[in-house]
Amino acid sequence: MIQTACDASSPRDSMIVDAHVVVVDDDPRLRRLLQRYLSEQGFRVSAASSAQEARQVLGFMQPDALVLDITMPGENGLELTRELRRENHDFPILLLTARGEPEDRIIGLEAGADDYLAKPFEPRELLLRLKAHLRRFVPPAPSSNLRIVRLGALEFDPVRGLLSNAGEIVHLTGGESALLSVLARHPNEILSRTDIAATLDMEEIGERAVDVQVTRLRRRIEPDPKEPRYLQTVRGKGYVLKPGL
């Protein structure tokens, strides 16, 4: 249940105006409330009451973000998140749940979610988190200091946030792309978990969330994720990205 009435006075963000968000929740009151609130903030919103309905929506359109309840009859939100990531859907997924313990949030991140919001929550907080994740899909201003980073056969463009293999795009989630962008801007430089968490707005969840994202990213870029060549752990200090062939 949302804690407070909707605040329709929030300014619209020109970078993400008209983004399409799918809200999936089996609570009809919450679903209608979120649909109305996000519509008032400039989003196009579709709604579904179950994972099955969500799949029907996704069958004819690709959303810009998914707001997904975990506890639903039938296929739950965690299961749907895992399947969507296996199918290479890379749009941001924000999970909603009545359980807000740090360990529960880690489970959501491990499933492939980009964020996790415990009920009850403020609509304004959901709005800010949505915008933060959607901005990650907006390319930053070009910089002459940013170069293509090569990781074996893979190439990462930190300006566009795109990973490719022989010209073919390798799908990354918003969280994976954001993490790789941070590391690519500091090649061969050790970054602490604390610094990475602060840069990625993960301080509330903690450094464990950084470890989860690193594990997920290694599955995308490493020939053998168990023996990382490019994204290495420096014990007691953090992580370092070491580009190379």
Side-chain angles (χ1 to χ4, degrees):
M1 188 74 63
I2 284 186
Q3 205 167 34
T4 63
C6 295
D7 174 12
S9 63
S10 303
R12 299 181 181 184
D13 192 319
S14 60
M15 289 192 297
I16 59 172
V17 67
D18 206 35
H20 195 150
V21 179
V22 177
V23 175
V24 188
D25 199 300
D26 63 327
D27 181 340
R29 181 178 177 277
L30 177 58
R31 196 168 61 247
R32 288 193 299 268
L33 208 159
L34 286 178
Q35 189 170 15
R36 185 178 74 245
Y37 177 71
L38 293 176
S39 296
E40 289 171 346
Q41 306 309 312
F43 294 99
R44 290 177 292 123
V45 186
S46 298
S49 62
S50 66
Q52 182 179 2
E53 283 190 16
R55 288 187 177 280
Q56 292 174 353
V57 173
L58 298 176
F60 62 83
M61 55 81 66
Q62 179 83 349
D64 296 295
L66 187 68
V67 177
L68 176 62
D69 185 34
I70 288 183
T71 307
M72 297 184 295
E75 185 179 14
N76 65 39
L78 289 175
E79 294 167 341
L80 178 58
T81 297
R82 293 189 186 99
E83 285 303 311
L84 291 175
R85 293 313 190 203
R86 289 192 190 105
E87 296 166 7
N88 286 326
H89 292 285
D90 55 2
F91 47 74
I93 298 178
L94 282 73
L95 293 177
L96 305 178
T97 180
R99 302 179 63 181
E101 295 300 319
E103 188 61 31
D104 296 318
R105 300 187 181 202
I106 295 299
I107 292 172
L109 293 173
E110 288 175 336
D114 295 282
D115 211 337
Y116 191 107
L117 200 57
K119 301 178 182 178
F121 59 87
E122 293 281 353
R124 175 69 172 160
E125 182 179 4
L126 173 63
L127 175 67
L128 293 175
R129 292 195 184 201
L130 259 179
K131 287 184 175 182
H133 290 290
L134 287 168
R135 286 191 193 101
R136 290 174 179 168
F137 285 82
V138 178
S143 170
S144 58
N145 296 325
L146 297 179
R147 299 180 179 178
I148 297 295
V149 174
R150 289 180 171 81
L151 307 167
L154 300 174
E155 293 186 350
F156 181 69
D157 183 343
V159 173
R160 301 166 62 201
L162 293 179
L163 182 67
S164 61
N165 186 347
E168 296 292 327
I169 297 300
V170 177
H171 291 279
L172 297 175
T173 67
E176 292 164 354
S177 178
L179 173 59
L180 187 52
S181 293
V182 170
L183 295 167
R185 282 166 167 75
H186 304 275
N188 299 304
E189 179 180 336
I190 300 171
L191 300 181
S192 71
R193 290 173 173 84
T194 301
D195 289 340
I196 294 173
T199 303
L200 298 180
D201 296 324
M202 288 182 175
E203 294 168 295
E204 181 183 347
I205 305 176
E207 296 177 8
R208 172 88 183 279
V210 174
D211 298 334
V212 171
Q213 290 286 15
V214 166
T215 298
R216 287 169 49 183
L217 181 57
R218 280 174 172 160
R219 295 183 189 133
R220 307 283 193 178
I221 67 173
E222 297 286 357
D224 182 0
K226 294 182 180 179
E227 297 289 337
R229 179 187 305 174
Y230 306 114
L231 179 44
Q232 298 183 10
T233 301
V234 181
R235 183 167 296 182
K237 294 185 177 179
Y239 295 103
V240 58
L241 186 70
K242 294 189 174 182
L245 300 176

